[in-house]
Structures are given as C-alpha cells and as structure tokens.
Amino acid sequence: MDNMYDTLLSLPLFKGVSFAQVFELIGNSRFHFLKYLTGEKIVDVGEPCTHIKFIVSGKVRSTIANSDGRFRVSQTLTAPEVISPEYLFGLSPFYPCSVTALETTGIMQITKNDYMRMLSANEIFLYNYTNLLSMKAQKAVDGILAVTAGSLEERIAFWIASLSSSGGTDIALTCRQRDLYSLFGVQRSSFVSTLEGMRSRGLITFDHHEIRVVSRRDLLDLLSTPTE
C-alpha cells in the first residue's frame, strides 16, 4: 500500500500533494489500475479522451503523425508520466497520438468527472494542471514562431521541444529530408550542414529519413528562451 502512495506522489500532476490528501482522494475517487503487456496498444489515435491516464510503471512509445503519415514524431515515456493530459478538455478531446507498451506497463486512469472533482476540491491539483496547460500552450506558440525566426539550429530545437514531452527520451522525427528543409525554408545544403554540425556536438544523429535526439536537454540548451 505504501508503494502505491509513493507512486501517486511521484506523478507530475500530484506534485506538492500531501500523503494525507492522497489517502483522502483514494477514499473519495475511483482510481482504475490497468496492466498492459509488451506490444499492447494503450491508446489509439483519435480515441476519445474520457480518462486522464498516468503511467505508474514501465514505459511506452508515443507516436504522433500528420494526416498523411509523412511526418512522425515518436518518443519514449517512462513512469511516472501522464499521457496527453491537455486533451482531456476542449473542443477536440481526442488523443492525437498512438501509445504502445514497450514492456509490462501499469496505467492508472481517472474518469474526467472524478478528475474535475479533484481539481475543484484541491487547489494544488488545479495549480499543477493549469500550469501544465500553460506550458503546453506556450511551447506550441514558441515552436510555430521559431520556424521563421532564429538560427536553423534554434528552429530545429524549438520544433522538437514543441512536439515532445519534457520527460521524453529516444525522440525521433521521421520525415524525408526534402520535406523538412522545405518546412524550414532553407536549401538542402544548409539543412544538411546544420544537422552535421549538431551531430558533431553529440546533439543528434540522422539519416535521410530520420533525426534522432541524443539528449533533449542538451538540445534545448541551444535556446535563448528556456522551454520544457
């Protein structure tokens, strides 16, 4: 039982909540614990986001793609993490990504109604959730604006920050090079030269179809404006 409480207290949206408050929540809310085996699908693209889902053990692979699948961003999320919490509300409450278990993985999920009651009853939960939403919104704006401003290295770094989570690892952008340098509005030679420079400093590896991030944190150190 103590291990369960420790796990809950380590979750990002439970930051700052006391043991006593978690004990009370468990008594008043319905927490559902699910187990997924390696390779099992946890979330499908377009699935209604009716629960907030926490990764409490194991790790998953999350992939988001554009409508024709030519541009994909994949990342590994390791417990403790939360899956796309910003899609629980709004005009389009549907998961934008597919999520698959990379190993035996435990998921704790809470219904939207129960989570709303938690937000209403405890200002720490409300602060954590609104702070997360604010960071996500600011990242999106910074990433879009960065496509047309700053050095090419900074623009690539902002793009990766906007499309991945702060806890994401093994991040990969899968797309043909010609589509990427067209996206950034540069010549192929400039794009490849920039990637080679980033690779020489140990920030990324790449081939004709994929850019793989060695360290998201080191990549973000390129930026003059901090972002998570």
Side-chain angles (χ1 to χ4, degrees):
M1 180 63 74
D2 287 344
N3 287 338
M4 183 180 70
Y5 287 117
D6 290 340
T7 298
L8 293 179
L9 290 172
S10 69
L11 293 169
L13 291 178
F14 283 66
K15 182 179 180 181
V17 179
S18 70
F19 183 94
Q21 289 170 320
V22 170
F23 184 84
E24 181 181 356
L25 282 170
I26 289 178
N28 295 330
S29 302
R30 289 170 292 180
F31 288 58
H32 301 279
F33 292 88
L34 307 173
K35 183 178 180 179
Y36 294 86
L37 301 179
T38 302
E40 284 193 308
K41 184 65 66 69
I42 298 171
V43 169
D44 276 312
V45 174
E47 178 182 325
C49 190
T50 58
H51 295 70
I52 188 163
K53 296 178 183 286
F54 297 93
I55 306 167
V56 294
S57 65
K59 58 185 178 181
V60 306
R61 191 69 175 169
S62 171
T63 301
I64 187 169
N66 68 339
S67 58
D68 62 10
R70 292 169 64 187
F71 185 92
R72 300 194 309 276
V73 178
S74 301
Q75 62 181 331
T76 295
L77 299 176
T78 303
E81 265 290 351
V82 58
I83 300 174
S84 301
E86 67 272 31
Y87 287 89
L88 189 63
F89 303 103
L91 294 176
S92 184
F94 304 96
Y95 285 103
C97 57
S98 64
V99 180
T100 303
L102 291 178
E103 60 186 35
T104 300
T105 298
I107 298 291
M108 181 190 76
Q109 63 180 30
I110 306 170
T111 67
K112 181 185 294 187
N113 288 339
D114 278 343
Y115 192 62
M116 287 178 63
R117 282 193 287 270
M118 290 168 58
L119 295 177
S120 300
N122 191 303
E123 63 181 12
I124 297 177
F125 282 111
L126 182 60
Y127 172 81
N128 287 342
Y129 188 66
T130 54
N131 191 48
L132 180 145
L133 293 181
S134 296
M135 288 192 298
K136 294 282 187 180
Q138 291 161 14
K139 273 201 317 182
V141 172
D142 287 339
I144 292 170
L145 294 177
V147 174
T148 56
S151 70
L152 183 54
E153 281 190 346
E154 289 178 325
R155 290 154 64 189
I156 292 171
F158 262 124
W159 193 252
I160 292 170
S162 297
L163 293 172
S164 61
S165 302
S166 59
T169 59
D170 302 323
I171 300 167
L173 283 74
T174 305
C175 184
R176 294 181 302 180
Q177 275 191 9
R178 67 182 182 184
D179 290 332
L180 284 174
Y181 60 72
S182 295
L183 170 70
F184 288 106
V186 296
Q187 296 294 319
R188 179 183 181 277
S189 58
S190 297
F191 184 73
V192 173
S193 176
T194 297
L195 292 184
E196 288 176 343
M198 296 171 75
R199 178 169 61 185
S200 70
R201 300 203 305 280
L203 299 173
I204 65 168
T205 62
F206 73 95
D207 55 33
H208 290 296
H209 301 285
E210 192 169 74
I211 299 173
R212 294 171 293 279
V213 179
V214 175
S215 169
R216 187 179 186 273
R217 170 49 58 194
D218 289 344
L219 192 67
L220 296 186
D221 285 342
L222 293 172
L223 306 177
S224 57
T225 304
T227 182
E228 283 297 329

